[in-house]
Amino acid sequence: MGDIKNRDEADAARQEARLRRLARREGLILEKSRTRNERVWGWQLFRIVDPATNFVVAGSQGNGYSMNLDEVEKYLNEEAN
């Protein structure tokens, strides 16, 4: 059971790193919520920021982080095309 959780975490970390690179190629920054408590809104959620204007271009609902990694990937892939 622990191996599956570790594998899922490793897959998520690889996906996050890949999406950070994709965002950077588009001139954007992928930011992750700093919340460390899984019971608090925003835990492991993301937003995409334009560093030139410091404007949140995606994922700015509630506390400012509202996208999971799959939503980030969909947004960035649509932006790239």
Side-chain angles (χ1 to χ4, degrees):
M1 182 88 170
D3 289 340
I4 292 172
K5 183 178 179 185
N6 290 340
R7 193 173 321 123
D8 289 343
E9 289 174 4
D11 289 343
R14 280 191 293 277
Q15 183 182 18
E16 181 180 341
R18 181 172 50 78
L19 293 174
R20 285 183 187 282
R21 289 189 302 272
L22 180 57
R24 199 174 317 122
R25 281 194 296 269
E26 295 298 317
L28 302 169
I29 296 174
L30 179 61
E31 293 183 347
K32 184 175 184 178
S33 170
R34 293 182 179 180
T35 302
R36 298 293 178 236
N37 184 341
E38 64 186 58
R39 289 181 239 146
V40 174
W41 171 258
W43 182 69
Q44 292 191 343
L45 293 179
F46 298 83
R47 67 182 179 189
I48 300 171
V49 178
D50 179 346
T53 61
N54 206 31
F55 182 76
V56 178
V57 295
S60 63
Q61 297 175 354
N63 72 348
Y65 299 89
S66 63
M67 301 173 81
N68 63 36
L69 286 173
D70 293 332
E71 293 167 333
V72 168
E73 186 161 15
K74 181 179 177 186
Y75 178 86
L76 291 173
N77 285 330
E78 289 172 358
E79 281 296 303
N81 293 325

